[in-house]
Amino acid sequence: MSGQSQKIGDLLRQRLHIVQELSAANAEHHRLLQVSGGADFLSLLSATDLEEVVDQRPATPDLEANATRLSELEAELEQVDKLLEETKTKGKHHE
């Protein structure tokens, strides 16, 4: 039983680490959205053509990379949660 407790503890630590990374990635994503929105606003003030605004978004590659990272972290978190659930149910005796 102590081996199971250790495994659950390891999974919980792993989960905490992933949640911390998700939090940081979400904060970065919101920062990038603000930068992108600000750039869009400034572009609209100076541009005469809407196509120019779309072409001048500086944060778009960073936003896409960050969105990919968020998806990866969410998948990791889902996997850890599944492992936690499996570990919890293995330790229960069904009557």
Side-chain angles (χ1 to χ4, degrees):
M1 194 69 146
S2 66
Q4 183 178 350
S5 296
Q6 185 177 3
K7 183 175 182 179
I8 289 175
D10 290 343
L11 287 170
L12 288 173
R13 280 186 286 283
Q14 185 178 0
R15 188 180 196 287
L16 178 62
H17 179 72
I18 294 169
V19 169
Q20 289 171 333
E21 287 187 44
L22 259 171
S23 177
N26 272 316
E28 177 64 7
H29 196 74
H30 287 287
R31 186 190 73 77
L32 291 169
L33 286 172
Q34 288 177 334
V35 168
S36 180
D40 285 350
F41 180 75
L42 291 175
S43 295
L44 284 172
L45 290 176
S46 63
T48 56
D49 186 10
L50 188 58
E51 290 297 318
E52 290 179 37
V53 173
V54 173
D55 293 339
Q56 295 177 6
R57 290 186 174 154
T60 300
D62 292 337
L63 270 169
E64 291 169 358
N66 192 264
T68 300
R69 180 68 180 139
L70 282 168
S71 295
E72 291 168 352
L73 288 168
E74 288 168 355
E76 285 180 40
L77 185 61
E78 185 177 337
Q79 183 62 30
V80 169
D81 285 345
K82 284 180 184 177
L83 290 171
L84 272 169
E85 186 61 34
E86 289 172 8
T87 303
K88 277 178 31 182
T89 55
K90 284 182 185 175
K92 293 182 180 177
H93 297 286
H94 299 284
E95 294 181 29

